[in-house]
Amino acid sequence: MSGKQRRERGTRLVDQAYRSEGLAPFFMHDDVQHFFSFYEAGCVNEIAAADANDDDARRNAGMKLQAMRRLKQHMADIIATGERAKVTLEKIDE
C-alpha cells in the first residue's frame, strides 16, 4: 500500500469514527428509541386498523414502517462501521 493510499485510508477511518461518535449518543438516547418504538407501533396499528379492502392504507403504513426500519438500520450500520474504524485506528497506532 502506498503512502497516499495509507493516508486516504486513515482519513476515511477517522471520518467513520467521528461520524459514529456524533451519531451514537443521539441514536442511543432513550427519547429517540422511544420515538422509534412509538412510530413503529403506530404504523403496525394503522395496518391492523385498515379496512380489509383498503390496500392503499395498508401499503402506505407498511412503507412508512419499512422506511423507519431502514433508517434505524442505516444509523446502526454507521455506528458499527465507526466502531470498527476506531479499533482499526488503534491497531494502526500500536
Side-chain angles (χ1 to χ4, degrees):
M1 184 179 297
S2 72
K4 181 179 178 182
Q5 288 173 328
R6 246 181 304 229
R7 282 190 303 277
E8 288 175 357
R9 179 178 181 231
T11 301
R12 182 176 36 84
L13 290 171
V14 168
D15 288 346
Q16 291 170 343
Y18 280 145
R19 210 171 305 134
S20 173
E21 286 178 7
L23 184 58
F26 169 77
F27 185 67
M28 300 300 176
H29 194 276
D30 289 340
D31 289 340
V32 173
Q33 290 301 314
H34 178 72
F35 167 77
F36 284 137
S37 297
F38 183 76
Y39 191 87
E40 288 182 8
C43 291
V44 170
N45 288 338
E46 281 182 49
I47 293 168
D51 290 335
N53 296 325
D54 195 354
D55 292 335
D56 287 336
R58 286 195 312 273
R59 185 180 308 112
N60 289 340
M63 289 174 64
K64 289 191 303 185
L65 180 62
Q66 183 180 24
M68 179 60 65
R69 288 181 176 167
R70 284 190 179 182
L71 173 64
K72 281 177 58 177
Q73 185 60 50
H74 183 66
M75 293 170 81
D77 290 345
I78 289 171
I79 293 168
T81 299
E83 294 301 316
R84 285 190 304 271
K86 287 178 197 176
V87 170
T88 303
L89 286 168
E90 289 174 2
K91 288 179 182 177
I92 291 172
D93 286 342
E94 291 178 353

